[in-house]
Amino acid sequence: MESSTSSKTRTKTHKGKPSEDILPGNLLNCRRIKDGNFHLAKIIQKRNLIGGGVGDFEYYVNYIDLNRRNDEWVKFERFDLKSLKPDIEPVEPEELAGVRTVECIELRRHEIKTWYSSPIPLEFEDCRRLHVCEFCFTFKNSRSQLKKHKKDCQIRDPPGHEIYRDGNLSVFQIDGATNTEYCDNLCYLAKMFLDIKGNLGRTENKMFYVLIVHDDLGYDMVAYFSKVKLVMESYNVSRILTLPPYQRRGYGTFLIGLAHEVAKWEKVKMGGVKSQLSDLALSCYRKYWNRVLLRVLKQHKGGPLSILDLSEKTAIHPEDVTATLKQLNLLELDRENRRYNVITDAARLARHDIYSTETEIVDFPDYTKNLDSYFDPCPDFDAAKMITWLHPQTEEEED
Ligand code: ZN
């Protein structure tokens, strides 16, 4: 990485240099705790350090070569002042809007470091740690206030309809129009982990699918996705999130499987996901497409299969089928007929493992401190475990 240097080469240059000299718009190397390396960073904001003396500041930095979810508040000691660039760059309004004021949330057993800013109500603007009710996602700025709230909180199960159950895992389908407050709170929470530009949008026109895992004392919300209602031509997941403590355990892939099943039930095709989703979500989608397409191909007996056949069987958009098979090297160009043929040869397919863990490397920040050291991996999605189904369009028509 060009802008990184080993921490071993760090020089003790910050002594003697006043912290007032570092201003928003400055570019200089900053040491990241996670990898111990210096990375070129831009100062976005500066504020007084809580409990610090006069001239003690902390600085919000954006690491130029890393995803924005790694932006953080740092102390002066982390800078290599020798690397300070002479010019000051303008700080754009969207950079300022992206400054995380809430640094951490407490949600049941977890203490989770936030990744992005969220447009939470103004009264919480100065709050660095939010205490979130695991039942209704209401947030409070102190543990005692949350305790008081939980005594009165009426919600004990997610609202809406339970549409899937497998052991201690359940998925609820929740209409944003009838459970607006619950879904608004969920969106505020989710935004802390999703890089979404602009406002959160209306919850009334969306359906939410919330995955929870029960234990003896209650349950944890683990992951969710939402989709816009009344889009008949294609089924597009608008947001999908697995909370950081549960990531890399298959929950995202599970929800993508559910989304494809819901698309089949609604008799629409999954829309192409393109760039609307985060890098983490896209990596989940790719894993899911690989797995499902390989499984269909390996089980296929008989004549040739086309890209459209595969799309019909799996509800995966034809463009995504093509891209996945290309990447797996399972497409052959038929020049004469100017189209791609899908390779169904058993020997070629045997080279691929359905559960291959080979995925792109994504940069996960240090995200969480949890009280439990182990969580079960998510079971595979199984369409036979769907319970009930309410078609959102039918509900709307009945109103
Ligand atoms: Zn509550």
Side-chain angles (χ1 to χ4, degrees):
M1 217 173 275
E2 210 180 308
S3 57
S4 316
T5 52
S6 164
S7 58
K8 284 176 189 156
T9 61
R10 183 185 177 206
T11 48
K12 291 176 186 169
T13 52
H14 64 270
K15 284 193 176 155
K17 187 93 178 173
S19 55
E20 282 86 350
D21 282 6
I22 308 296
L23 298 168
N26 270 144
L27 282 163
L28 78 171
N29 288 339
C30 176
R31 188 168 55 83
R32 215 174 141 236
I33 302 286
K34 183 167 184 199
D35 57 17
N37 290 337
F38 278 97
H39 295 258
L40 184 62
K42 181 178 178 182
I43 311 290
I44 307 296
Q45 212 176 51
K46 178 176 178 177
R47 69 182 179 192
N48 289 318
L49 186 66
I50 290 178
V54 179
D56 282 340
F57 300 102
E58 56 182 345
Y59 308 81
Y60 195 77
V61 296
N62 163 241
Y63 296 106
I64 303 296
D65 58 349
L66 299 177
N67 183 289
R68 279 206 319 118
R69 73 175 78 93
N70 294 286
D71 291 4
E72 60 181 339
W73 288 98
V74 302
K75 288 184 188 161
F76 183 63
E77 290 74 20
R78 302 257 296 268
F79 297 132
D80 170 12
L81 295 181
K82 262 192 180 165
S83 65
L84 181 64
K85 310 264 183 237
D87 297 329
I88 288 192
E89 287 195 0
V91 175
E92 304 297 339
E94 62 266 27
E95 289 180 303
L96 270 179
V99 171
R100 281 183 296 117
T101 50
V102 175
E103 293 177 57
C104 176
I105 60 159
E106 283 189 20
L107 177 65
R108 204 179 176 215
R109 68 184 83 192
H110 301 293
E111 187 179 286
I112 312 172
K113 185 175 174 284
T114 58
W115 291 1
Y116 302 105
S117 64
S118 180
I120 48 171
L122 278 177
E123 59 184 294
F124 297 100
E125 213 178 36
D126 294 329
C127 186
R128 297 185 183 189
R129 175 179 290 258
L130 282 184
H131 301 261
V132 184
C133 171
E134 72 264 31
F135 301 115
C136 67
F137 308 130
T138 289
F139 35 87
K140 298 286 174 192
N141 48 26
S142 75
R143 212 169 278 173
S144 58
Q145 278 190 34
L146 181 68
K147 207 172 161 189
K148 197 163 163 273
H149 160 83
K150 276 167 82 169
K151 271 189 187 154
D152 303 330
C153 183
Q154 300 293 315
I155 295 182
R156 279 298 174 269
D157 278 314
H161 308 279
E162 188 180 11
I163 60 162
Y164 188 96
R165 189 184 294 181
D166 182 5
N168 62 349
L169 179 154
S170 288
V171 180
F172 285 77
Q173 181 199 35
I174 301 160
D175 189 334
T178 46
N179 296 285
T180 310
E181 196 181 334
Y182 178 94
C183 295
D184 278 346
N185 286 341
L186 174 58
C187 289
Y188 282 130
L189 174 69
K191 174 65 191 77
M192 296 177 197
F193 306 97
L194 291 171
D195 193 9
I196 307 160
K197 301 274 182 307
N199 60 27
L200 291 176
R202 289 172 57 230
T203 47
E204 288 89 338
N205 63 349
K206 294 196 191 93
M207 292 301 284
F208 293 77
Y209 298 81
V210 175
L211 189 162
I212 62 168
V213 173
H214 291 272
D215 56 37
D216 295 341
L217 300 171
Y219 64 85
D220 286 308
M221 195 281 278
V222 168
Y224 91 102
F225 74 86
S226 62
K227 71 159 287 253
V228 177
K229 286 189 261 182
L230 303 166
V231 179
M232 292 307 289
E233 67 276 13
S234 69
Y235 189 95
N236 267 311
V237 166
S238 40
R239 276 171 206 155
I240 180 162
L241 170 75
T242 303
L243 280 178
Y246 298 92
Q247 287 175 352
R248 289 178 285 182
R249 296 200 159 270
Y251 289 102
T253 317
F254 174 97
L255 278 187
I256 292 165
L258 177 75
H260 283 78
E261 191 60 26
V262 171
K264 280 190 213 164
W265 287 34
E266 289 198 347
K267 294 191 170 47
V268 291
K269 274 204 174 60
M270 285 296 288
V273 293
K274 306 236 166 47
S275 58
Q276 61 177 335
L277 294 168
S278 71
D279 55 342
L280 301 183
L282 211 51
S283 140
C284 252
Y285 265 91
R286 293 206 174 110
K287 208 190 293 179
Y288 174 81
W289 293 331
N290 273 0
R291 190 180 291 181
V292 170
L293 291 170
L294 280 172
R295 188 177 288 142
V296 171
L297 288 174
K298 285 186 181 207
Q299 287 169 352
H300 177 69
K301 306 258 181 304
L305 269 177
S306 70
I307 287 167
L308 283 179
D309 293 335
L310 285 170
S311 174
E312 282 301 317
K313 278 177 192 285
T314 60
I316 299 172
H317 194 276
E319 276 177 26
D320 299 325
V321 174
T322 309
T324 307
L325 293 182
K326 252 189 200 167
Q327 186 249 326
L328 290 168
N329 212 7
L330 291 174
L331 282 184
E332 220 163 34
L333 184 61
D334 177 352
R335 287 185 195 280
E336 207 173 304
N337 297 309
R338 303 180 70 183
R339 63 169 191 204
Y340 281 112
N341 289 333
V342 178
I343 294 170
T344 52
D345 171 55
R348 288 280 292 274
L349 289 168
R351 289 181 209 165
H352 298 281
D353 175 7
I354 289 177
Y355 288 102
S356 164
T357 51
E358 211 180 303
T359 49
E360 299 137 87
I361 297 161
V362 283
D363 183 24
F364 284 89
D366 285 330
Y367 46 76
T368 186
K369 190 167 95 186
N370 59 56
L371 305 175
D372 283 1
S373 56
Y374 180 77
F375 298 104
D376 287 331
C378 184
D380 273 354
F381 172 76
D382 177 359
K385 291 182 173 138
M386 299 280 285
I387 302 171
T388 53
W389 178 248
L390 287 179
H391 197 292
Q393 274 76 38
T394 315
E395 274 192 311
E396 294 267 313
E397 283 155 16
E398 281 170 2
D399 283 343

